[in-house]
Amino acid sequence: MSAPGPGISGDAPNGEELERILDSHPGVDRCAVLVDTRDDGSWACAAYVMPRRNDAVVDDGAALGQQYVDEWQGVYDHVYGQPEPDDATFDTRGWLSSYTGDALGPDDMRAWVDGTVARIRALSPRRLLEVGCGTGMLLHRLVGDTERYWAGDISARAVARIRAAFGGEPPAHLELFQAPADDLGPVTAGDVDGFIANSVTQYFPDESYLDRVIGQAVDVVDEGGFLFVGDIRPTALNRAFYAGIELSRAPERAPREKVQSLVERRCCTGTELLIDPGYFTDLPRRFPRVAHVAVLPKRGSRPTEMNRFRFDVVIRLDKSPGGEATVSDWRPWDESRPDAAALRRLLTEERPDAIGLLGVANARTLADHLAAELLTRPDGPATAGEAVAAARAAAAGAVDPEEIWALGDELPYTVRLSWARSLPDGAFDVALVRHEDPAAPAPDIRFPTEPAPPRRHVSDPWYGRVENLRPAKLRDHVRERLGRPMPGRIVLLETFPLTEDGGIDRAALRSVQWA
């Protein structure tokens, strides 16, 4: 299920001809078209386009990044300036559904908060630093378990709301401060044993900002501590996410090409930072203190966008409290496609010490991924409704991650799921390690990260807002000159990966995942 999406039968398009047509558009600086023909004769086509740079991008990229941060500060100062909710410890203002634009329901939000708090509590923190704390949905649930808690947010109104929730007198061991996420305020090296940045990385402007936050956090966390970076939007699932949104809004008879154009526009103009798990799995190479990195799909059975399309990362510094377990038996899930019931039988009847499954089809994401692929096919379903029906049928048999996690609640096994390999259909890897002493720390597990092609790990969300080129314009341009619709998909890039001699690195282009 983790292989590339379905190909298209029939004669493959002429990539060089498409490149000439796209290059003739006045808004295009450079382009490359990749047409991959497979052994079965099917093909897939993608056009990668770098818009002609405007002066704002050329001369003022750093300033645009800072402007992006300032704009988010203004947004949340406004949000937190609204009248207070009935429960000041559960302030969900600003949490909107990407599908409907309406506020997310309280049951969904409580499930999200409870799952995040449980994951952090399992790390046994005593001295915590939280950046981007908002109005304290995590803080109010964690602060009572700690000896010291530092919490900062870029919005002064958010910090004021937390003070007000304590009647103007926060607990003596809680210190609040106003600062952006790359300013750790009064915290110095060794003050804390845990660092939290939850549901905040999507508001960072670029990779250099993320680097600063992670680097500073590693510097201040005490020996044996951890970093928890939560609610991260992955690059690999961006197109599936936006395809699901547009298909949920489209009439059943909406033409496929129209929906695909809307998906491409969202992908190219998104305003939130996307991060590939590879950014985090590469951290041990950059920071000697990083002992283990776990890339975790979200827990929970409610089908929200947070559970389906976001992940958490736990970064252990210096050591893993429960050590690391070795899994030597890694099996491709596709060979026998076991569901949770089949795994339960295996664990109870055969009692293996450890087994691993690679590429488990994900019931949360697979249908949207397949629908996104179908939208790019000129010979695919004609309408939105047909694309949805075909994708759902093809995704039958996929597994709900929560059903796998539940095995660890029933059986003497440590159950770990991982998105470290960042597969574009959302497939996950599973490790089940026998662990019969519930009082002993559960071991960490080093999951495979290969095969993972070289890829850019982080998007630049401010970029799409300052360029005027849109995929729909390029599709019209191709249709006028080719006499038929543009085959495949269009991806706008702020830069091209280059070979040593300055040519376009076409192999690296294939690993671009966020568009």
Side-chain angles (χ1 to χ4, degrees):
M1 291 290 183
S2 59
I8 303 170
S9 58
D11 293 336
N14 185 318
E16 292 183 358
E17 180 184 14
L18 287 173
E19 286 183 7
R20 286 194 298 271
I21 292 173
L22 289 166
D23 273 331
S24 69
H25 190 285
V28 172
D29 183 277
R30 198 170 189 180
C31 77
V33 175
L34 303 185
V35 181
D36 293 323
T37 303
R38 300 169 184 160
D39 293 340
D40 63 359
S42 67
W43 53 268
C45 177
Y48 299 85
V49 176
M50 188 170 78
R52 195 170 302 281
R53 296 302 183 88
N54 62 38
D55 292 341
V57 175
V58 173
D59 300 333
D60 239 351
L64 287 167
Q66 183 57 50
Q67 178 184 332
Y68 177 87
V69 175
D70 294 342
E71 287 178 3
W72 280 118
Q73 179 180 5
V75 166
Y76 280 97
D77 275 339
H78 172 73
V79 169
Y80 299 138
Q82 304 303 308
E84 293 187 20
D86 293 336
D87 182 356
T89 72
F90 187 65
D91 185 349
T92 63
R93 285 169 306 164
W95 289 84
L96 305 178
S97 167
S98 299
Y99 293 82
T100 66
D102 297 330
L104 289 164
D107 291 342
D108 288 341
M109 289 303 303
R110 287 192 189 280
W112 174 82
V113 171
D114 291 346
T116 304
V117 168
R119 193 161 263 179
I120 295 170
R121 278 188 177 141
L123 302 170
S124 303
R126 301 304 303 165
R127 295 167 288 127
L128 275 174
L129 164 64
E130 182 181 1
V131 300
C133 64
T135 55
M137 282 197 289
L138 302 187
L139 179 155
H140 286 295
R141 289 151 183 81
L142 294 169
V143 68
D145 301 329
T146 62
E147 298 169 0
R148 292 294 307 275
Y149 201 118
W150 287 266
D153 194 272
I154 196 171
S155 169
R157 286 180 171 170
V159 175
R161 280 297 171 89
I162 296 175
R163 292 187 188 278
F166 287 104
E169 296 184 7
H173 69 290
L174 171 61
E175 183 167 350
L176 301 170
F177 61 96
Q178 181 198 0
D182 65 341
D183 179 352
L184 304 191
V187 179
T188 59
D191 281 346
V192 298
D193 59 15
F195 168 87
I196 302 171
N198 187 65
S199 201
V200 67
T201 58
Q202 63 265 39
Y203 307 125
F204 293 177
D206 50 37
E207 186 169 3
S208 63
Y209 192 98
L210 176 64
D211 285 342
R212 287 199 301 277
V213 174
I214 297 297
Q216 291 173 14
V218 170
D219 288 342
V220 301
V221 173
D222 204 0
E223 182 178 357
F226 68 87
L227 280 61
F228 178 89
V229 187
D231 219 35
I232 305 162
R233 288 197 56 197
T235 59
L237 288 173
N238 193 46
R239 190 155 57 101
F241 175 53
Y242 284 137
I245 290 173
E246 290 299 340
L247 286 167
S248 73
R249 297 180 173 187
E252 286 194 4
R253 295 188 177 183
R256 178 199 66 248
E257 189 178 356
K258 173 64 174 177
V259 179
Q260 168 62 6
S261 179
L262 294 171
V263 173
E264 285 179 334
R265 180 174 182 178
R266 282 186 179 270
C267 287
C268 296
T269 59
T271 59
E272 295 185 351
L273 192 78
L274 309 175
I275 308 174
D276 187 274
Y279 174 88
F280 297 101
T281 57
D282 282 351
L283 290 179
R285 300 187 183 95
R286 301 171 53 193
F287 298 98
R289 291 190 61 200
V290 174
H292 183 83
V293 175
V295 180
L296 309 170
K298 301 288 286 187
R299 288 212 62 170
S301 57
R302 302 188 71 86
T304 66
E305 62 192 86
M306 293 94 76
N307 279 358
R308 297 173 61 218
F309 290 102
R310 301 187 190 182
F311 67 98
D312 298 332
V313 171
V314 175
I315 302 164
R316 295 280 194 178
L317 300 183
D318 309 308
K319 61 183 179 181
S320 294
E324 279 194 348
T326 300
V327 178
S328 56
D329 183 11
W330 289 102
R331 309 174 184 181
W333 175 83
D334 220 19
E335 287 183 355
S336 58
R337 301 191 172 207
D339 58 12
L343 287 174
R344 185 182 294 105
R345 289 193 297 272
L346 172 68
L347 298 178
T348 54
E349 295 173 6
E350 299 185 18
R351 297 167 57 86
D353 289 333
I355 61 170
L357 297 172
L358 298 175
V360 181
N362 189 341
R364 296 175 176 177
T365 60
L366 181 57
D368 283 347
H369 164 75
L370 294 174
E373 294 294 321
L374 288 169
L375 290 175
T376 69
R377 296 180 51 160
D379 68 341
T383 67
E386 292 172 0
V388 169
R392 287 177 177 171
V399 180
D400 186 336
E402 191 61 31
E403 294 180 357
I404 305 298
W405 265 306
L407 297 174
D409 301 329
E410 308 169 22
L411 304 172
Y413 279 84
T414 292
V415 178
R416 295 285 187 266
L417 275 62
S418 174
W419 259 356
R421 289 196 298 146
S422 187
L423 300 173
D425 57 4
F428 54 93
D429 300 332
V430 177
L432 305 107
V433 176
R434 194 160 187 84
H435 182 71
E436 302 202 33
D437 183 2
D444 286 320
I445 293 148
R446 192 170 296 276
F447 279 84
T449 57
E450 303 295 337
R455 58 172 66 113
R456 281 194 54 202
H457 291 320
V458 184
S459 65
D460 286 324
W462 55 265
Y463 174 78
R465 300 185 306 164
V466 297
E467 295 289 3
N468 294 320
L469 190 62
R470 295 288 180 265
K473 294 180 181 179
L474 293 175
R475 287 191 173 279
D476 290 343
H477 181 78
V478 171
R479 186 195 295 269
E480 290 171 2
R481 286 154 180 78
L482 195 62
R484 59 181 185 275
M486 163 74 202
R489 62 193 180 103
I490 295 174
V491 180
L492 298 188
L493 297 176
E494 62 269 31
T495 58
F496 268 110
L498 301 177
T499 59
E500 291 184 0
D501 61 4
I504 295 174
D505 187 338
R506 293 174 180 260
L509 275 182
R510 288 183 169 85
S511 69
V512 172
Q513 295 203 50
W514 58 74

